[in-house]
Amino acid sequence: MLIKFTGGTVYDPLNGVDGEVRDIYARDGRIVATPPPGTKIDAEYALGGRVVMAGAIDPHSHIGGGKVTIGRMLLPEDHQGHEVERTALLRSGCGHAVPSTMTTGYRYAEMGYTAAFEPAMLPANARQAHLEMGDTPMIDKGAFVMLGNDDFFLRALAGKKDFAFIKDYIAFTMHAAQAMAVKIVNPGGISAFKFNQRALNLDEKHEFYGVTPREIILTLARGMKELGVPHPIHIHGCNLGVPGSMHSTLATIRGAEGLPLHLTHIQFHSYGTEGDMHFSSGAPEIAELLNQTPNVSIDIGQIMFGQTCTASGDSMRQYGNTKSSNPKKWVVMDIECDNGCGVVPMKYRDKSYVNALQWAIGLELFLLIRDPWRIFLTTDHPNGAPFYFYPHLIRLLMDRTFRNEKLETLHPQAQAATILKTLDREYSLYEVAIMTRAGPARSLGLRDRGHLGAGAIADITIYEDNADREAMFKTPLFVFKSGELVVRNGRVVKVVAGATHVVRPDFDPGIERAVRDYFDRYHTVRLDNFRVSEQEIVDSNCGHTGGECGCVIAQPCGPRAA
């Protein structure tokens, strides 16, 4: 079946297309070159005056795993008033801060998103994470496996094991957990918390293993580069949410030694200690350094006002956040010898000095960092806000007048502590397409996603060109997933399954002997039960062989794109 999308205004940064009126063709789920004259067109959509982009990609959203399940269970009152009615097409669901799996898929698709990636999958909890992602319809998924706090890795680093041994362990873990990247959460800090350390700075030694966060970061960053994993090491740095965290963030960037790094939810790591409140913005200094450091990319983790639920493997920092929980309940727990978990409800208030300045810091970073290819639009769902706040965030970035009006409603001291009102920049549709499509696709190694060139999967989102950018991005006119119309006027019209993306770097299988012995000695599960098989995450009824629907797609390893 050949589909023609006629006369839309196309924004396709990976192919250098900036607001050009073009026709696009799709056949059998993929975009194809313009066919010869006279070719039969099976379906045509007249898009004159409409904006056409690839399906959006969220590179950092907590949508699967134990922490998400705990968040749903911890806040039953948060679901009330946010129920999704069962229809002939849709399953019932609920949830505001942490929507149910199916509601998550519906809401993403209804905003024009066709992929979202879970950034913190514990190896010991990988099976549950994949089952929850597999239950999330409409979108492609994948997950970043957590390393850097697990006992096996820390023993190897402390024992000065050969780098080849550590690199094999990284690759083995990615295979065993069916992961597409590797995440470090508070490097060494989750483990240090178990030994009663309450903080761990970049060059501070772990009390038991004697290694520093800097060593952990550089070792894993080098491993990812040499293994050829497309996405660089994904780092939740030291001292999240702590006044003064900007200094460890700056030191991490300076100490990268040229290795590719991705610093995630950097807003939470950009705080100074200036002023009477001893809480200030470090965004200008961090942005200035990032503008000079092309090997480092970031996502923001923008906070938005209202009720949400923070969910993180960073048990050290989440324990510190319990004093701010709203409502007053929380869960912080240990996970095997593997990692940790902390779930703390949070309500961000516009009349709070700290919350208001956090909001401003995220926007400062968006506006001060010049290269949109190295900055991705996230709220660290649900930590900064639920993901469906993205259209509002896009309007804040594209509309300076609207942004300043919102700023004037905030805590007066926070207004005085930010340079936000002096920043004239307004994002263009092309830059939004980079941040939400092309940039994440390139960073994650998704070669046939995030663009509209021939050979790409036909994930296509079409918007009315509305001057109110929030309304525009909230309610797409059409969304196509693999060439099938799945959303019309912001409502799901067909339910489909997305693919699961993995990366499988080569490794010496001899590493399994050491890992098996370790499991037999220390873990409560056998290695064979720990490993997630492909059969467990494949939808055998999807009917595709190319990974378009419910299948596993192994993205190739190799040198990272420039």
Side-chain angles (χ1 to χ4, degrees):
M1 180 176 180
L2 182 64
I3 305 172
K4 181 181 181 183
F5 302 90
T6 305
T9 304
V10 177
Y11 294 86
D12 183 17
L14 276 170
N15 292 299
V17 180
D18 183 3
E20 298 177 19
V21 176
R22 291 191 171 196
D23 298 339
I24 296 172
Y25 297 84
R27 187 194 300 274
D28 299 330
R30 288 187 180 268
I31 295 172
V32 296
T34 301
T39 302
K40 180 185 175 184
I41 304 298
D42 298 294
E44 183 173 0
Y45 293 84
L47 303 179
R50 276 73 182 253
V51 170
V52 183
M53 297 183 181
I57 298 169
D58 191 339
H60 186 109
S61 180
H62 296 283
I63 57 173
K67 62 192 176 301
V68 180
T69 301
I70 293 168
R72 294 180 184 124
M73 295 172 62
L74 191 64
L75 290 171
E77 67 272 31
D78 188 54
H79 308 320
Q80 296 174 6
H82 300 280
E83 298 86 359
V84 177
E85 182 181 3
R86 182 185 177 96
T87 69
L89 179 65
L90 307 182
R91 297 285 297 273
S92 61
C94 61
H96 168 249
V98 192
S100 59
T101 52
M102 293 188 179
T103 301
T104 294
Y106 303 150
R107 286 180 175 173
Y108 262 120
E110 288 170 349
M111 287 197 312
Y113 276 73
T114 54
F117 295 91
E118 163 57 55
M121 175 174 66
L122 275 64
N125 193 43
R127 184 169 283 102
Q128 179 180 346
H130 279 292
L131 288 171
E132 291 193 346
M133 290 189 293
D135 201 43
T136 304
M138 312 302 292
I139 56 173
D140 288 0
K141 287 84 61 175
F144 311 161
V145 70
M146 289 169 61
L147 288 175
N149 281 280
D150 54 301
D151 181 60
F152 188 96
F153 171 81
L154 291 172
R155 284 173 184 261
L157 193 59
K160 309 296 183 185
K161 285 282 190 179
D162 290 342
F163 182 69
F165 178 91
I166 293 176
K167 192 165 64 173
D168 285 336
Y169 174 64
I170 297 169
F172 162 79
T173 305
M174 290 187 68
H175 279 254
Q178 298 283 0
M180 69 174 304
V182 172
K183 167 86 170 287
I184 313 174
V185 175
N186 189 358
I190 301 171
S191 173
F193 184 63
K194 300 176 185 183
F195 291 86
N196 210 32
Q197 285 181 267
R198 290 295 182 260
L200 192 66
N201 291 313
L202 188 64
D203 292 304
E204 184 178 356
K205 288 188 175 182
H206 188 294
E207 181 179 277
F208 181 78
Y209 298 99
V211 300
T212 67
R214 185 188 296 271
E215 293 175 84
I216 293 168
I217 291 170
L218 292 177
T219 300
L220 289 171
R222 179 187 167 197
M224 297 293 281
K225 181 180 180 181
E226 293 190 13
L227 288 168
V229 176
H231 189 55
I233 190 68
H234 198 90
I235 304 170
H236 160 144
C238 306
N239 300 315
L240 175 141
V242 176
S245 59
M246 61 175 286
H247 300 296
S248 54
T249 301
L250 291 167
T252 301
I253 297 168
R254 293 188 183 107
E257 298 182 2
L259 291 165
L261 305 181
H262 180 85
L263 301 183
T264 191
H265 44 64
I266 197 170
Q267 177 274 137
F268 288 108
H269 304 268
S270 300
Y271 305 152
T273 57
E274 302 299 321
D276 294 341
M277 307 290 278
H278 305 291
F279 185 81
S280 59
S281 173
E285 295 90 336
I286 288 172
E288 182 180 9
L289 181 59
L290 282 168
N291 285 332
Q292 302 166 17
T293 315
N295 55 300
V296 179
S297 61
I298 66 165
D299 61 79
I300 296 296
Q302 177 70 32
I303 80 147
M304 309 294 270
F305 302 116
Q307 180 67 56
T308 194
C309 180
T310 65
S312 172
D314 192 347
S315 48
M316 174 188 279
R317 295 307 334 140
Q318 286 292 73
Y319 179 75
N321 286 337
T322 58
K323 61 182 178 296
S324 301
S325 62
N326 187 347
K328 292 293 182 183
K329 49 185 173 179
W330 48 270
V331 173
V332 175
M333 61 191 296
D334 175 35
I335 309 291
E336 285 272 351
C337 301
D338 200 1
N339 267 287
C341 177
V343 180
V344 182
M346 197 72 63
K347 188 171 186 177
Y348 298 112
R349 296 176 293 113
D350 57 0
K351 303 307 180 186
S352 158
Y353 169 80
V354 170
N355 295 163
L357 191 54
Q358 288 177 300
W359 177 89
I361 289 168
L363 294 174
E364 287 176 347
L365 289 162
F366 270 118
L367 298 169
L368 289 168
I369 295 169
R370 293 191 292 269
D371 183 1
W373 287 96
R374 294 191 292 120
I375 180 170
F376 308 141
L377 187 142
T378 68
T379 58
D380 187 19
H381 166 79
N383 291 289
F387 62 83
Y388 47 83
F389 277 72
Y390 289 167
H392 182 74
L393 175 55
I394 290 171
R395 185 178 180 191
L396 288 169
L397 296 175
M398 297 190 73
D399 187 339
R400 180 181 179 240
T401 299
F402 177 71
R403 184 168 68 234
N404 287 339
E405 287 172 354
K406 293 298 179 183
L407 176 63
E408 289 172 1
T409 69
L410 305 187
H411 191 289
Q413 288 177 272
Q415 293 183 49
T418 177
I419 63 169
L420 192 57
K421 204 160 189 177
T422 70
L423 302 178
D424 295 335
R425 181 180 178 185
E426 294 179 320
Y427 270 71
S428 67
L429 285 171
Y430 189 74
E431 290 174 315
V432 169
I434 293 171
M435 282 200 307
T436 59
R437 276 94 170 158
R442 189 171 75 173
S443 180
L444 293 168
L446 305 175
R447 300 182 184 184
D448 59 0
R449 266 76 173 168
H451 71 95
L452 298 172
I457 290 290
D459 290 354
I460 304 170
T461 302
I462 296 139
Y463 304 97
E464 297 285 4
D465 192 359
N466 190 335
D468 181 343
R469 298 309 193 189
E470 182 172 355
M472 171 180 167
F473 282 95
K474 183 178 181 180
T475 310
L477 179 62
F478 301 119
V479 180
F480 290 81
K481 183 79 185 80
S482 298
E484 295 187 88
L485 179 62
V486 296
V487 170
R488 184 192 298 269
N489 292 320
R491 293 290 179 265
V492 173
V493 296
K494 183 173 183 178
V495 176
V496 298
T500 296
H501 296 266
V502 301
V503 172
R504 293 170 176 161
D506 293 334
F507 67 96
D508 181 351
I511 188 69
E512 293 193 29
R513 290 191 295 272
V515 177
R516 186 175 298 278
D517 177 66
Y518 176 83
F519 268 69
D520 290 344
R521 293 179 65 190
Y522 297 112
H523 271 270
T524 60
V525 297
R526 294 171 59 87
L527 179 60
D528 293 335
N529 296 327
F530 167 85
R531 198 190 325 251
V532 179
S533 69
E534 181 168 326
Q535 288 69 34
E536 293 178 80
I537 58 175
V538 169
D539 179 359
S540 60
N541 298 314
C542 70
H544 290 100
T545 58
E548 290 89 349
C549 175
C551 299
V552 174
I553 302 175
Q555 297 293 345
C557 292
R560 296 190 67 242

